Amino acid sequence: MIRAGLQALLSHWWRNPLQLVTLLGGLALATALWSGVQGVNAEARQSYDAAAATLGEVQFAQLLPASGDQISEATYIALRRTGWLVSPVIEGRRENVRIVGIDPLTAPGTIGPITLTPGTDVAAFLTGRGQVFGTTQTLAALRGLIDADLVEASDIAPNVAITDIGVAQRILGLEGQLSRLIVAPQQPLGQASLADIAPQLTLRQPQGGTDVARLTDSFHLNLTAFGLLAFAVGIFIVNGAIGLAFEQRRSVVRTLRALGFPLHVLIALMAVELLVLALVAGGLGIFLGYLIAAALLPDVAATLRGLYGAEVSGDLQLRPSWWLSGMAIAVGGTGMAAASSLWRLARMPLLAAARPRAWAMAAGKGAGWKGLISVALLLASLLVIVLGKGLLLGFFALGALLIGAALGLPLVLDRVLALGQSMGKSVTASWFWADTRQQLPGLSLALMALLLAMAANVGVSTMVSSFRLTFVGFLDQRLSSELYVYADDPAQAEQLVAYLAPRVDAILPIQSVQADLAGLPSEIYGYRQHATYSDNWQFLTSVDDAWGVLGRGEGVIINEQLYRRANLNLGDEILIAPAVYLPIVGIYGDYGNPIGQAVVTEALFVQVFPTSVPLRFGLRLPSQDVPALSASLRDEFGLSAGNLINQAGIKAFSLNVFERTFTVTTALNFLTLAVAAFAILMSLLTLAGMRLPQLAPVWALGLTRAQIGRLELVRAIILAVVTTLLALPLGLALAWVLLAVVNVEAFGWRLPLYLFPLDYLRLGAFALIAAALAALWPAIRLARTPATDLLKVFANER
Amino acid sequence: MLLVARNVEKSFPSADGPVAVLRGIGLDLCAHETLALTGESGSGKSTLLHLIGGLDAPDAGSILVDGHDIANMGDKARAKMRRETVGVIFQQFNLIPSLNVSDNISFQARLAGRHDPAWDDTLITRMGLGAHVHKFPEQLSGGQQQRVAIARTLAARPALVLADEPTGNLDEQTADAVLDIMLQLVAETGAGLLMVTHSQRLAKRMGRRVHLRAGHVV
């Protein structure tokens, strides 16, 4: 019995391959976009976790030196002698690789590649040339540069090399120095006070999440939101395809039940059938998602490195959790899309009449309710924007805005078409408008998908273009020095300053230390008083004579990120260093920087951070002298290209980081639009097959098949035009929320909204071409429908 | 007795309150017997057929098919009865559009677990469908589709065949031919046949006639 039932159910797909392609394609595309984004996120998070596990920041408390300082071995020994169970760590960079030295004999068990378990070759790690652990790529960068055995370890974070502390000190040239001390969780009771032995150290409790993970959370949330949007667009297609398939099979279901097939078995079979289809489409989607993730990951890795300093592996790994979650979302999405259809089927009376177009009309039901929900969602979005705070609420506002607008679309389109109908003069025009209104329910899901995709495109392109415009202007302000010089060490820096002093108009040292300001990870800069700064830097807000107050060492200026995240205001005092409080006298824009920043005068900086030595310098000189000076610096000091960067070079680098940041969103945008075009094509093709009963009478009354085909094309274009026009204000609203709400929460800066009419025009043209191409095939099919098929409508009215 | 219906009542809801369609119907049918159920449109013929076929449940009364009372059956039991005891030939054929003629004919027999390919072949030949076994329903004429529907029912060898205007969509000549074959095959299988029809001409060819008017047997 089950075999016969299955044959009857599955034969539907055999006879309707287009529907099967729509269902599988829609679900595969939705899963692909979602799992692609998740693949990228999972890879990045894995890298952060590997780094955190290696460095022990998450699990263990740490003793840290004052900003910009190191810990002496003598302090470490003093702490150990007075009962502190601490383990030393040294960190530094060599060839852009983060070298981390640990002491395996005192380090807590889970840190580093070496643990004191039976069979571990600790001797090789500790003695002789020593061993350096890292991934293949990391070790490749170090090969030939360091005197130690290189050992491959795949579970170590990218661009991080772990070795014994003595080996690391030798490699980094930091003999006798330590970066921090890891504090073991269990400490003896009779321990001396930290303030007595090492008052210069501060105890930092376990982080419970890495700084990098916290910093990049917003970036990943952005990607996830886009993935979800693309998935939602895909689910529109799946919902449509499943709804249609169920509706078309109502007569089969009725017949099967009339012939004695039990309803519960029938529902179970259909659920299993959907599960199998979901697994097939999910598998295909995960494969496509893998390709998408592999294509996007290098750009994401570059973005995270350039913007956040976070190291992410550029290679994608197939993690079970990733493909299992991809399968789960495919099955869950199918279940969500099919739930109402299965429910209707379970409650369908056996003698219910077959209604082949009921699916198409179903979307038109409850229009009043949908209108109310639409208005409620739009109002909720507005309320959240005005009253809410936080990134999640920002995304909620975006979601409510988009879903509310999508639900309201059929109502607006119906009103527009009704207007067209009232203006139609000829009988053909009257029929055309009335018929288009009748088609609207069947097309509304696809048009909603188009609206969302278009709005996302307008919104994101507006945000990116506004950002680019602001960022380029900002770079022009901030990168005003003609040449930037980087010294390799303090001695060379001193020689460089002496050499440059008579040859340039001004030397502007760039010196900074990492610090926690108002509880947030930040950096403090010491600036040399010069017109370069006061002439070029624009404050977002400041006290009167901010540069004067700052120059007298009586204030500090901070970036917008710190101002917003710490909820600071002009006049508030912040702690720059122990016992050094300064009032905020100005807030400046600092686009592209994820962390807080504060600027004080050079004199104050040197006084507070005496061990910090500037190695970078901005040089002011006539532009035409830059090539000659660069050449002489290379000759005199043997400086490499990396040590000499002219203004154009650093601008290009900054812009490159910026462009790569948005490569991912642009790619996702494009893919979402492609999914929407697919939705329209499939909806039109499906409707074309069901349209004969409506078109046959019109044909019989005198319209030619070619005319009918042309009208079908015009209909699709008109609907796409109206949808595109509606997508424009929605997209601009989306851009505004992104710039004024989401960006502020995610990145800490607010950008002005610029409009780009030409871009919108181009995007609209693309959408129309996509809609026209999607409509062309069904229109041609209708135009070529054999007359016998049209006659069958009259011959067999069932 | 193959079918015993007593005091069967059925009404349907409407905007003006329940409308009684069957008002205490009684009916008997033996195996090998053929019975025509006639009446005006709206007299309750199809409703009675649906109740006897287990497609719907009566509001009151009893309908015993092969000794089992449909009125007391749950959904599963009625589905089993439809599968194994009763065969319904619908006016609108109700073929499965995605299966070809051959698969449609064997379908109910397979559901009932009584599939006999040789009997299928006999039916196909007798119904004149030999040239169409690989065609799909949409490729057949109305008469051909009705013959497939009849073959599908008889292939399962049900004890009781219910036919709802089986020739209603066919011209007179084709209707006569289809009824000839149907009566021959029903006689060969020993089933009882209850046929709903408007046509007095066709009703006269059945062993017995029952006329319904406004929900009563007259």
Side-chain angles (χ1 to χ4, degrees), chain A residues 455-493:
Chain A
N457 264 280
V458 169
V460 174
S461 68
T462 301
M463 179 188 76
V464 173
S465 300
S466 294
F467 195 0
R468 183 182 286 117
L469 214 58
T470 311
F471 192 61
V472 170
F474 161 75
L475 284 180
D476 287 339
Q477 287 173 23
R478 293 288 289 269
L479 298 175
S480 40
S481 292
E482 284 72 21
L483 186 64
Y484 292 84
V485 181
Y486 296 0
D488 288 329
D489 51 58
Q492 190 184 49

Side-chain angles (χ1 to χ4, degrees), chain B residues 10-21 59:
Chain B
K10 181 71 180 176
S11 57
F12 293 104
S14 76
D16 303 322
V19 176
V21 178
D59 295 337

Side-chain angles (χ1 to χ4, degrees), chain B residues 38-107:
Chain B
T38 58
E40 315 292 321
S41 293
S43 60
K45 305 184 299 292
S46 291
T47 300
L48 181 60
L49 195 85
H50 290 156
L51 295 180
I52 295 170
L55 297 168
D56 205 352
D59 295 337
S62 64
I63 302 173
L64 272 68
V65 175
D66 215 14
H68 302 286
D69 190 353
I70 290 173
N72 296 329
M73 285 183 183
D75 274 352
K76 281 187 189 173
R78 275 196 275 146
K80 188 171 186 294
M81 191 200 74
R82 289 198 299 271
R83 207 159 58 231
E84 297 174 358
T85 311
V86 179
V88 184
I89 301 166
F90 297 95
Q91 184 179 5
Q92 301 293 357
F93 325 132
N94 282 353
L95 299 176
I96 295 173
S98 49
L99 296 182
N100 64 23
V101 167
S102 173
D103 288 334
N104 261 296
I105 289 175
S106 64
F107 193 78

